[in-house]
Amino acid sequence: MNSSNKAPASPPNYSVPFTLRAISDYNRWRILEQIVLAGEPQMVKSLAQTAGISETSCSKHMGVLRDANVVDRGNGGLYHIAPAIRPPPGEYTIDFGFLTLRRTAPLLGGR
């Protein structure tokens, strides 16, 4: 079977209430957007600066996202979208199975 005929991998079974709570905060949306757009792991300091929040606040937001399996913390404390839901390079969609987040307009720079 060639790769174009393969079915896409199924996303993991995420808890709807837990995931929605984790992504419902505007600052967490901004943080997720920054990680997705960067296409590479990000430091809390960089995420906090871009989101316009303190590093302490950003760390707390990252903890919520990590507990919901939305992000992972890798080597050197760098954060990235969890592998099970990480979009391919150049794509800005996160598929939770029950919900797909697709960036159609930038969040950064305004509410």
Side-chain angles (χ1 to χ4, degrees):
M1 176 188 293
N2 72 39
S3 62
S4 63
N5 293 333
K6 289 183 182 177
S10 297
N13 194 8
Y14 280 82
S15 161
V16 174
F18 198 58
T19 302
L20 291 178
R21 184 185 70 78
I23 64 172
S24 66
D25 182 88
Y26 177 74
N27 287 317
R28 290 193 285 269
W29 275 95
R30 291 170 57 124
I31 290 166
L32 285 175
E33 178 184 44
Q34 183 179 350
I35 296 171
V36 170
L37 289 177
E40 60 187 20
Q42 299 289 300
M43 297 178 66
V44 166
K45 182 175 183 174
S46 173
L47 294 168
Q49 286 175 341
T50 302
I53 58 178
S54 71
E55 288 183 45
T56 301
S57 179
C58 187
S59 290
K60 290 178 182 178
H61 285 301
M62 296 312 294
V64 172
L65 292 169
R66 192 175 56 242
D67 289 347
N69 297 313
V70 176
V71 299
D72 281 339
R73 186 171 155 185
N75 293 337
L78 298 173
Y79 286 91
H80 55 88
I81 301 297
I85 59 171
R86 187 177 306 141
E91 290 188 22
Y92 307 114
T93 301
I94 300 174
D95 185 359
F96 292 99
F98 65 90
L99 170 72
T100 301
L101 300 178
R102 182 177 56 228
R103 182 186 183 269
T104 58
L107 289 174
L108 298 177
R111 287 185 181 231

